[in-house]
Amino acid sequence: MEATDTTEKGFESLIVNWLVNHNGYEQGHSHDFNTEYALDTTRLFRFLKNTQPDAVKKLQLETNPQKTAQFLARVRDEITKRGIVDVLRKGIKAYPASLIMFYMTPSVNNPAAAALYAKNIFSVTRQLHFSPDATKLSLDLCIFVNGLPVITFELKNQLTKQNVDDAVYQYQHDRNPKELLFQFTRCMVHFAVDDAQVKFCTRLQGKESWFLPFNKGYKDGAGNPPNPDGLMTDYLWKQILTKDMLSRIIENYATLVEEKDEETGKTRYKQIFPRYHQLTAVENLLADVKKNGVGNRYLIQHSAGSGKSNSIAWTAYRLASLFNTENKPVFASVIVVTDRTVLDAQLQETISGFDHTLGAVEAIGEDKNSGDLRDAINNGARIIITTLQKFPVIYTEVNKTAGKNYAVIIDEAHSSQTGTSALKLKAALADTEDALREYAELEGKAEDEIDPEDALVKELTSHGRHKNLSFFAFTATPKAATLELFGTEYPDGSHHPFHI
């Protein structure tokens, strides 16, 4: 077991030492932080000089103090206007140069991109003096990427009679959301951490700041499991805050979306950061597809209130941007299926609202028909959202598109007849048109009305897997038929969810 200092300073040291000695971070210093711009200017300029020296020369960042101040103001204002994630992903334009602020995770077999990615500077600063006015105030930890702040931390230790709720209180009462560092979208997330629990907030609003858990869960409940090798919360810095995972969060998960207030009609922005179960579910799904290829089935059991729509959206985008060793897309299309007759508006808005670079999301709602779904598939739409009623066309089209793989994500959260929905899906993929016609006669029957010994039902439920179809079924309460159809089979013959 790790030797751990019981003081908060010891807690800080533990995390900083791990990030520096194991995760490859630099240790920053508070005097490198310019409170006027809320930037670690030392690392920002070093990153730009190492990666884009011509732009640095054009902007006169090493020779002209006035131009340097103008540039820093430009970076500050772009973060204010667009948010830190967009600036990292898309860079900024500062006449007469366009600057990359973060080099993305390299694609397979791309040594040039890998070399640039390695030049990103990840750093952590402890006791950061963040205010130009209240100079005695300091933040426990702040993580920077290329000098741009991305995550803040307030740490507490239960052995000093304080816990995660005291850290939350500190953010709510002692961290002024008008301070530049704490303004909305300047950082991706703010973490409150103790030795047993983690909570996070994406929008500091004083007493109204809302914190969600970022815990693993324990015994099908809240909290974290005991950790024989250290603190219960060390997964945060050992797993989540590695360079590669933090990069993937920046590139694929952290998201700024528009929301319309139904009462006022005004548009407001919401910054989304994945909870632990969302992040690990999607990452584990991706890892399994990479390892075991196409043609498998996965059951993701996430309860109501767990942010399932976001989890489905992240899964869809990650699968749609998954490439093989030949740098070709693994899936021709990702097809999100809901069993509602009317396309789930929330799910559609959530997926469409995530701003990625894959092109438009094709929604086949009630104003469209199966022919539109066929066209979307044939035209290679990266992400398609449709209803179960239009699903049978997928089988006939897949049959005609040899060599193409498809990911099918099934949203069953609102279903009262999960087993029936599963059978509908099987019917759509059955081998013969006769089976489709015969099963059509069963439409509308409840699950308990279907004879499990019926020859057709047996055929549908035991039908072999399609090598070019991967299924990802999300549900809160899987029935036995759903578990058998999509669950992972254990050696004893029982079936279990891939992720709970």
Side-chain angles (χ1 to χ4, degrees):
M1 181 168 176
E2 294 172 355
T4 55
D5 189 332
T6 59
T7 65
E8 283 179 25
K9 299 299 182 190
F11 196 12
E12 279 179 29
S13 297
L14 177 72
I15 296 173
V16 170
N17 288 341
W18 186 276
L19 293 176
V20 172
N21 297 325
H22 295 273
N23 293 9
Y25 283 54
E26 292 185 3
Q27 183 165 353
H29 303 280
S30 192
H31 58 73
D32 296 326
F33 184 74
N34 188 312
T35 56
E36 183 180 353
Y37 305 107
L39 298 167
D40 179 337
T41 52
T42 299
R43 283 161 186 80
L44 172 60
F45 288 138
R46 175 150 53 86
F47 165 73
L48 293 174
K49 186 178 178 182
N50 287 345
T51 59
Q52 300 153 85
D54 291 343
V56 170
K57 191 173 181 180
K58 283 182 184 178
L59 293 166
Q60 302 177 49
L61 298 183
E62 295 183 299
T63 57
N64 189 323
Q66 184 179 356
K67 295 278 190 185
T68 301
Q70 288 174 352
F71 169 74
L72 291 173
R74 175 71 173 172
V75 176
R76 177 194 62 200
D77 295 345
E78 284 294 295
I79 296 173
T80 300
K81 182 170 69 175
R82 295 160 46 203
I84 185 65
V85 173
D86 198 64
V87 168
L88 286 168
R89 285 180 182 170
K90 299 178 182 176
I92 64 170
K93 292 181 180 178
Y95 183 82
S98 293
L99 293 162
I100 295 168
M101 305 304 286
F102 172 69
Y103 285 96
M104 300 285 193
T105 305
S107 56
V108 180
N109 301 324
N110 190 338
L116 288 169
Y117 173 74
K119 292 186 177 182
N120 288 319
I121 302 171
F122 292 75
S123 63
V124 56
T125 300
R126 59 189 299 185
Q127 294 302 308
L128 181 73
H129 293 277
F130 54 81
S131 174
D133 301 317
T135 53
K136 292 183 179 179
L137 289 176
S138 65
L139 178 72
D140 284 341
L141 294 179
C142 187
I143 284 178
F144 296 82
V145 174
N146 300 329
L148 278 58
V150 291
I151 305 175
T152 73
F153 300 80
E154 292 293 354
L155 308 176
K156 302 298 173 187
N157 193 319
Q158 294 189 65
L159 293 175
T160 61
K161 307 302 182 185
Q162 286 192 307
N163 61 24
V164 69
D165 292 326
D166 293 294
V168 168
Y169 184 92
Q170 192 167 13
Y171 271 121
Q172 291 174 329
H173 296 269
D174 301 337
R175 299 295 175 246
N176 185 350
K178 293 182 180 179
E179 289 280 3
L180 189 56
L181 181 64
F182 299 127
Q183 288 177 11
F184 181 51
T185 75
R186 293 208 75 81
C187 288
M188 286 195 304
V189 67
H190 307 279
F191 277 118
V193 187
D194 70 14
D195 45 326
Q197 292 197 65
V198 181
K199 294 184 178 182
F200 74 94
C201 177
T202 59
R203 187 177 200 137
L204 295 179
Q205 306 178 83
K207 296 177 183 178
E208 303 301 314
S209 302
W210 180 253
F211 281 76
L212 285 166
F214 193 84
N215 296 321
K216 287 184 168 185
Y218 180 51
K219 291 184 176 179
D220 296 328
N224 282 307
N227 180 6
D229 300 316
L231 299 179
M232 285 191 281
T233 53
D234 69 10
Y235 61 90
L236 180 62
W237 51 94
K238 290 182 177 180
Q239 298 173 22
I240 306 302
L241 299 179
T242 64
K243 287 183 178 181
D244 287 348
M245 179 61 85
L246 183 53
S247 296
R248 290 201 295 276
I249 290 172
I250 292 169
E251 294 168 28
N252 303 299
Y253 293 96
T255 305
L256 188 64
V257 297
E258 286 186 36
E259 284 189 333
K260 185 169 281 189
D261 190 308
E262 292 182 5
E263 293 182 6
T264 64
K266 292 182 178 179
T267 297
R268 71 189 295 268
Y269 288 91
K270 180 179 180 181
Q271 186 156 279
I272 298 173
F273 189 87
R275 291 168 67 177
Y276 181 85
H277 70 271
Q278 294 173 315
L279 187 62
T280 52
V282 179
E283 288 291 314
N284 289 347
L285 287 171
L286 267 287
D288 197 86
V289 172
K290 287 180 181 177
K291 179 182 177 182
N292 297 313
V294 181
N296 295 302
R297 301 170 189 170
Y298 307 88
L299 182 64
I300 302 92
Q301 183 180 340
H302 285 186
S303 60
S306 67
K308 189 168 60 62
S309 291
N310 288 346
S311 299
I312 288 174
W314 281 315
T315 301
Y317 279 105
R318 294 301 310 278
L319 291 172
S321 57
L322 185 62
F323 288 80
N324 60 24
T325 54
E326 297 173 355
N327 211 26
K328 294 179 180 178
V330 172
F331 297 106
S333 294
V334 176
I335 304 164
V336 183
V337 182
T338 176
D339 70 341
R340 284 185 171 186
T341 304
V342 178
L343 192 61
D344 188 322
Q346 181 194 354
L347 183 62
Q348 180 182 339
E349 288 172 9
T350 300
I351 296 175
S352 300
F354 280 24
D355 182 21
H356 290 256
T357 56
L358 291 168
V361 173
E362 193 82 40
I364 311 297
E366 59 270 24
D367 57 335
K368 296 182 180 179
N369 57 37
S370 295
D372 295 307
L373 175 57
R374 176 199 63 217
D375 293 341
I377 295 170
N378 287 338
N379 292 334
R382 302 300 298 126
I383 297 176
I384 301 166
I385 315 172
T386 187
T387 58
L388 191 60
Q389 286 70 22
K390 296 185 177 73
F391 192 83
V393 74
I394 292 178
Y395 173 70
T396 59
E397 293 308 316
V398 166
N399 208 30
K400 297 174 184 175
T401 51
K404 290 187 178 180
N405 299 324
Y406 295 91
V408 181
I409 299 175
I410 304 154
D411 175 23
E412 297 176 322
H414 309 295
S415 171
S416 60
Q417 296 179 322
T418 303
T420 305
S421 297
L423 285 177
K424 285 183 182 178
L425 183 58
K426 294 297 292 184
L429 298 173
D431 272 336
T432 66
E433 291 181 3
D434 288 340
L436 285 171
R437 282 196 295 271
E438 189 173 352
Y439 186 69
E441 298 173 8
L442 297 176
E443 284 285 346
K445 287 190 177 181
E447 184 177 358
D448 58 4
E449 292 181 88
I450 298 174
D451 180 4
E453 295 303 311
D454 181 277
L456 172 62
V457 174
K458 278 189 171 181
E459 179 187 345
L460 293 174
T461 53
S462 63
H463 186 63
R465 296 172 184 244
H466 294 268
K467 292 182 179 179
N468 63 332
L469 292 170
S470 290
F471 290 93
F472 306 83
F474 285 77
T475 183
T477 52
K479 295 184 180 179
T482 310
L483 267 172
E484 188 172 342
L485 189 58
F486 297 111
T488 303
E489 185 172 0
Y490 281 25
D492 64 0
S494 62
H495 292 81
H496 301 265
F498 178 81
H499 191 277
I500 297 180

PDB file of all heavy atoms in Angstrom, residues 237-256:
ATOM      1  N   TRP A 237      -6.315  10.239 -10.899  1.00  0.00           N
ATOM      2  CA  TRP A 237      -5.025  10.654 -11.458  1.00  0.00           C
ATOM      3  C   TRP A 237      -4.274   9.505 -12.132  1.00  0.00           C
ATOM      4  O   TRP A 237      -3.453   9.741 -13.006  1.00  0.00           O
ATOM      5  CB  TRP A 237      -4.159  11.336 -10.399  1.00  0.00           C
ATOM      6  CG  TRP A 237      -3.967  10.643  -9.095  1.00  0.00           C
ATOM      7  CD1 TRP A 237      -2.950   9.825  -8.729  1.00  0.00           C
ATOM      8  CD2 TRP A 237      -4.822  10.746  -7.943  1.00  0.00           C
ATOM      9  NE1 TRP A 237      -3.100   9.391  -7.428  1.00  0.00           N
ATOM     10  CE2 TRP A 237      -4.239   9.944  -6.910  1.00  0.00           C
ATOM     11  CE3 TRP A 237      -6.013  11.414  -7.665  1.00  0.00           C
ATOM     12  CZ2 TRP A 237      -4.815   9.809  -5.644  1.00  0.00           C
ATOM     13  CZ3 TRP A 237      -6.578  11.280  -6.409  1.00  0.00           C
ATOM     14  CH2 TRP A 237      -5.995  10.493  -5.413  1.00  0.00           C
ATOM     15  N   LYS A 238      -4.599   8.252 -11.761  1.00  0.00           N
ATOM     16  CA  LYS A 238      -3.885   7.130 -12.376  1.00  0.00           C
ATOM     17  C   LYS A 238      -4.494   6.698 -13.714  1.00  0.00           C
ATOM     18  O   LYS A 238      -3.775   6.229 -14.595  1.00  0.00           O
ATOM     19  CB  LYS A 238      -3.855   5.939 -11.412  1.00  0.00           C
ATOM     20  CG  LYS A 238      -2.966   6.165 -10.196  1.00  0.00           C
ATOM     21  CD  LYS A 238      -2.918   4.946  -9.286  1.00  0.00           C
ATOM     22  CE  LYS A 238      -1.980   5.168  -8.123  1.00  0.00           C
ATOM     23  NZ  LYS A 238      -1.923   3.988  -7.213  1.00  0.00           N
ATOM     24  N   GLN A 239      -5.809   6.845 -13.874  1.00  0.00           N
ATOM     25  CA  GLN A 239      -6.470   6.384 -15.104  1.00  0.00           C
ATOM     26  C   GLN A 239      -6.995   7.529 -15.967  1.00  0.00           C
ATOM     27  O   GLN A 239      -6.807   7.530 -17.179  1.00  0.00           O
ATOM     28  CB  GLN A 239      -7.644   5.469 -14.744  1.00  0.00           C
ATOM     29  CG  GLN A 239      -7.276   4.204 -14.017  1.00  0.00           C
ATOM     30  CD  GLN A 239      -8.518   3.439 -13.559  1.00  0.00           C
ATOM     31  OE1 GLN A 239      -9.605   3.614 -14.096  1.00  0.00           O
ATOM     32  NE2 GLN A 239      -8.360   2.616 -12.557  1.00  0.00           N
ATOM     33  N   ILE A 240      -7.655   8.484 -15.339  1.00  0.00           N
ATOM     34  CA  ILE A 240      -8.342   9.543 -16.097  1.00  0.00           C
ATOM     35  C   ILE A 240      -7.385  10.636 -16.547  1.00  0.00           C
ATOM     36  O   ILE A 240      -7.515  11.178 -17.645  1.00  0.00           O
ATOM     37  CB  ILE A 240      -9.485  10.152 -15.258  1.00  0.00           C
ATOM     38  CG1 ILE A 240     -10.434   9.052 -14.769  1.00  0.00           C
ATOM     39  CG2 ILE A 240     -10.250  11.198 -16.060  1.00  0.00           C
ATOM     40  CD1 ILE A 240     -11.065   8.219 -15.860  1.00  0.00           C
ATOM     41  N   LEU A 241      -6.415  10.968 -15.704  1.00  0.00           N
ATOM     42  CA  LEU A 241      -5.532  12.093 -16.005  1.00  0.00           C
ATOM     43  C   LEU A 241      -4.218  11.679 -16.658  1.00  0.00           C
ATOM     44  O   LEU A 241      -3.227  12.406 -16.589  1.00  0.00           O
ATOM     45  CB  LEU A 241      -5.269  12.901 -14.729  1.00  0.00           C
ATOM     46  CG  LEU A 241      -6.523  13.516 -14.102  1.00  0.00           C
ATOM     47  CD1 LEU A 241      -6.171  14.268 -12.832  1.00  0.00           C
ATOM     48  CD2 LEU A 241      -7.247  14.433 -15.091  1.00  0.00           C
ATOM     49  N   THR A 242      -4.200  10.518 -17.310  1.00  0.00           N
ATOM     50  CA  THR A 242      -3.061  10.218 -18.176  1.00  0.00           C
ATOM     51  C   THR A 242      -3.133  11.148 -19.389  1.00  0.00           C
ATOM     52  O   THR A 242      -4.200  11.678 -19.713  1.00  0.00           O
ATOM     53  CB  THR A 242      -3.087   8.762 -18.653  1.00  0.00           C
ATOM     54  OG1 THR A 242      -4.247   8.569 -19.476  1.00  0.00           O
ATOM     55  CG2 THR A 242      -3.122   7.787 -17.487  1.00  0.00           C
ATOM     56  N   LYS A 243      -2.023  11.332 -20.053  1.00  0.00           N
ATOM     57  CA  LYS A 243      -2.025  12.209 -21.230  1.00  0.00           C
ATOM     58  C   LYS A 243      -3.003  11.716 -22.293  1.00  0.00           C
ATOM     59  O   LYS A 243      -3.764  12.498 -22.877  1.00  0.00           O
ATOM     60  CB  LYS A 243      -0.619  12.295 -21.830  1.00  0.00           C
ATOM     61  CG  LYS A 243       0.373  13.122 -21.037  1.00  0.00           C
ATOM     62  CD  LYS A 243       1.706  13.187 -21.788  1.00  0.00           C
ATOM     63  CE  LYS A 243       2.718  14.031 -21.060  1.00  0.00           C
ATOM     64  NZ  LYS A 243       4.009  14.105 -21.808  1.00  0.00           N
ATOM     65  N   ASP A 244      -2.984  10.413 -22.547  1.00  0.00           N
ATOM     66  CA  ASP A 244      -3.814   9.871 -23.623  1.00  0.00           C
ATOM     67  C   ASP A 244      -5.302   9.974 -23.294  1.00  0.00           C
ATOM     68  O   ASP A 244      -6.112  10.343 -24.149  1.00  0.00           O
ATOM     69  CB  ASP A 244      -3.439   8.421 -23.915  1.00  0.00           C
ATOM     70  CG  ASP A 244      -2.107   8.304 -24.642  1.00  0.00           C
ATOM     71  OD1 ASP A 244      -1.607   9.346 -25.113  1.00  0.00           O
ATOM     72  OD2 ASP A 244      -1.568   7.192 -24.741  1.00  0.00           O
ATOM     73  N   MET A 245      -5.687   9.649 -22.046  1.00  0.00           N
ATOM     74  CA  MET A 245      -7.103   9.718 -21.698  1.00  0.00           C
ATOM     75  C   MET A 245      -7.586  11.163 -21.671  1.00  0.00           C
ATOM     76  O   MET A 245      -8.679  11.477 -22.182  1.00  0.00           O
ATOM     77  CB  MET A 245      -7.359   9.052 -20.352  1.00  0.00           C
ATOM     78  CG  MET A 245      -8.830   9.099 -19.916  1.00  0.00           C
ATOM     79  SD  MET A 245      -9.937   8.252 -21.087  1.00  0.00           S
ATOM     80  CE  MET A 245      -9.787   6.577 -20.480  1.00  0.00           C
ATOM     81  N   LEU A 246      -6.793  12.051 -21.108  1.00  0.00           N
ATOM     82  CA  LEU A 246      -7.192  13.461 -21.077  1.00  0.00           C
ATOM     83  C   LEU A 246      -7.301  14.015 -22.497  1.00  0.00           C
ATOM     84  O   LEU A 246      -8.212  14.790 -22.802  1.00  0.00           O
ATOM     85  CB  LEU A 246      -6.195  14.276 -20.250  1.00  0.00           C
ATOM     86  CG  LEU A 246      -6.529  15.765 -20.071  1.00  0.00           C
ATOM     87  CD1 LEU A 246      -7.947  15.964 -19.536  1.00  0.00           C
ATOM     88  CD2 LEU A 246      -5.506  16.427 -19.142  1.00  0.00           C
ATOM     89  N   SER A 247      -6.412  13.584 -23.376  1.00  0.00           N
ATOM     90  CA  SER A 247      -6.485  14.011 -24.774  1.00  0.00           C
ATOM     91  C   SER A 247      -7.783  13.529 -25.421  1.00  0.00           C
ATOM     92  O   SER A 247      -8.444  14.272 -26.148  1.00  0.00           O
ATOM     93  CB  SER A 247      -5.283  13.480 -25.570  1.00  0.00           C
ATOM     94  OG  SER A 247      -4.075  14.035 -25.096  1.00  0.00           O
ATOM     95  N   ARG A 248      -8.146  12.276 -25.152  1.00  0.00           N
ATOM     96  CA  ARG A 248      -9.387  11.746 -25.734  1.00  0.00           C
ATOM     97  C   ARG A 248     -10.611  12.474 -25.186  1.00  0.00           C
ATOM     98  O   ARG A 248     -11.583  12.690 -25.912  1.00  0.00           O
ATOM     99  CB  ARG A 248      -9.492  10.236 -25.473  1.00  0.00           C
ATOM    100  CG  ARG A 248      -8.494   9.420 -26.266  1.00  0.00           C
ATOM    101  CD  ARG A 248      -8.908   7.976 -26.411  1.00  0.00           C
ATOM    102  NE  ARG A 248      -8.947   7.241 -25.159  1.00  0.00           N
ATOM    103  CZ  ARG A 248      -7.895   6.666 -24.578  1.00  0.00           C
ATOM    104  NH1 ARG A 248      -6.694   6.774 -25.131  1.00  0.00           N
ATOM    105  NH2 ARG A 248      -8.026   5.987 -23.457  1.00  0.00           N
ATOM    106  N   ILE A 249     -10.558  12.858 -23.921  1.00  0.00           N
ATOM    107  CA  ILE A 249     -11.669  13.623 -23.353  1.00  0.00           C
ATOM    108  C   ILE A 249     -11.784  14.962 -24.058  1.00  0.00           C
ATOM    109  O   ILE A 249     -12.886  15.405 -24.415  1.00  0.00           O
ATOM    110  CB  ILE A 249     -11.466  13.807 -21.831  1.00  0.00           C
ATOM    111  CG1 ILE A 249     -11.642  12.466 -21.116  1.00  0.00           C
ATOM    112  CG2 ILE A 249     -12.455  14.830 -21.281  1.00  0.00           C
ATOM    113  CD1 ILE A 249     -11.271  12.503 -19.637  1.00  0.00           C
ATOM    114  N   ILE A 250     -10.667  15.630 -24.280  1.00  0.00           N
ATOM    115  CA  ILE A 250     -10.677  16.918 -24.981  1.00  0.00           C
ATOM    116  C   ILE A 250     -11.209  16.749 -26.402  1.00  0.00           C
ATOM    117  O   ILE A 250     -12.025  17.542 -26.882  1.00  0.00           O
ATOM    118  CB  ILE A 250      -9.254  17.524 -25.008  1.00  0.00           C
ATOM    119  CG1 ILE A 250      -8.819  17.945 -23.599  1.00  0.00           C
ATOM    120  CG2 ILE A 250      -9.185  18.718 -25.970  1.00  0.00           C
ATOM    121  CD1 ILE A 250      -7.342  18.298 -23.491  1.00  0.00           C
ATOM    122  N   GLU A 251     -10.760  15.706 -27.076  1.00  0.00           N
ATOM    123  CA  GLU A 251     -11.101  15.518 -28.490  1.00  0.00           C
ATOM    124  C   GLU A 251     -12.511  14.982 -28.700  1.00  0.00           C
ATOM    125  O   GLU A 251     -13.170  15.325 -29.685  1.00  0.00           O
ATOM    126  CB  GLU A 251     -10.099  14.549 -29.128  1.00  0.00           C
ATOM    127  CG  GLU A 251      -8.678  15.088 -29.191  1.00  0.00           C
ATOM    128  CD  GLU A 251      -7.675  13.994 -29.545  1.00  0.00           C
ATOM    129  OE1 GLU A 251      -8.062  13.029 -30.235  1.00  0.00           O
ATOM    130  OE2 GLU A 251      -6.507  14.100 -29.123  1.00  0.00           O
ATOM    131  N   ASN A 252     -13.002  14.135 -27.798  1.00  0.00           N
ATOM    132  CA  ASN A 252     -14.210  13.368 -28.086  1.00  0.00           C
ATOM    133  C   ASN A 252     -15.359  13.490 -27.095  1.00  0.00           C
ATOM    134  O   ASN A 252     -16.488  13.122 -27.433  1.00  0.00           O
ATOM    135  CB  ASN A 252     -13.853  11.872 -28.175  1.00  0.00           C
ATOM    136  CG  ASN A 252     -12.792  11.584 -29.205  1.00  0.00           C
ATOM    137  OD1 ASN A 252     -12.988  11.839 -30.385  1.00  0.00           O
ATOM    138  ND2 ASN A 252     -11.659  11.070 -28.772  1.00  0.00           N
ATOM    139  N   TYR A 253     -15.090  13.946 -25.892  1.00  0.00           N
ATOM    140  CA  TYR A 253     -16.132  13.887 -24.866  1.00  0.00           C
ATOM    141  C   TYR A 253     -16.598  15.258 -24.387  1.00  0.00           C
ATOM    142  O   TYR A 253     -17.803  15.523 -24.356  1.00  0.00           O
ATOM    143  CB  TYR A 253     -15.652  13.053 -23.671  1.00  0.00           C
ATOM    144  CG  TYR A 253     -15.462  11.589 -23.990  1.00  0.00           C
ATOM    145  CD1 TYR A 253     -14.205  11.083 -24.332  1.00  0.00           C
ATOM    146  CD2 TYR A 253     -16.526  10.694 -23.946  1.00  0.00           C
ATOM    147  CE1 TYR A 253     -14.023   9.742 -24.618  1.00  0.00           C
ATOM    148  CE2 TYR A 253     -16.357   9.338 -24.239  1.00  0.00           C
ATOM    149  CZ  TYR A 253     -15.106   8.879 -24.563  1.00  0.00           C
ATOM    150  OH  TYR A 253     -14.920   7.540 -24.855  1.00  0.00           O
ATOM    151  N   ALA A 254     -15.675  16.087 -23.927  1.00  0.00           N
ATOM    152  CA  ALA A 254     -16.068  17.405 -23.426  1.00  0.00           C
ATOM    153  C   ALA A 254     -16.765  18.166 -24.554  1.00  0.00           C
ATOM    154  O   ALA A 254     -16.238  18.267 -25.660  1.00  0.00           O
ATOM    155  CB  ALA A 254     -14.842  18.170 -22.932  1.00  0.00           C
ATOM    156  N   THR A 255     -17.953  18.686 -24.271  1.00  0.00           N
ATOM    157  CA  THR A 255     -18.789  19.235 -25.335  1.00  0.00           C
ATOM    158  C   THR A 255     -19.577  20.438 -24.829  1.00  0.00           C
ATOM    159  O   THR A 255     -20.089  20.430 -23.710  1.00  0.00           O
ATOM    160  CB  THR A 255     -19.794  18.169 -25.838  1.00  0.00           C
ATOM    161  OG1 THR A 255     -19.071  17.001 -26.233  1.00  0.00           O
ATOM    162  CG2 THR A 255     -20.582  18.673 -27.025  1.00  0.00           C
ATOM    163  N   LEU A 256     -19.668  21.451 -25.661  1.00  0.00           N
ATOM    164  CA  LEU A 256     -20.500  22.615 -25.374  1.00  0.00           C
ATOM    165  C   LEU A 256     -21.721  22.552 -26.288  1.00  0.00           C
ATOM    166  O   LEU A 256     -21.583  22.524 -27.509  1.00  0.00           O
ATOM    167  CB  LEU A 256     -19.708  23.908 -25.630  1.00  0.00           C
ATOM    168  CG  LEU A 256     -20.365  25.219 -25.196  1.00  0.00           C
ATOM    169  CD1 LEU A 256     -20.542  25.269 -23.684  1.00  0.00           C
ATOM    170  CD2 LEU A 256     -19.541  26.407 -25.673  1.00  0.00           C
TER     171      LEU A 256
END
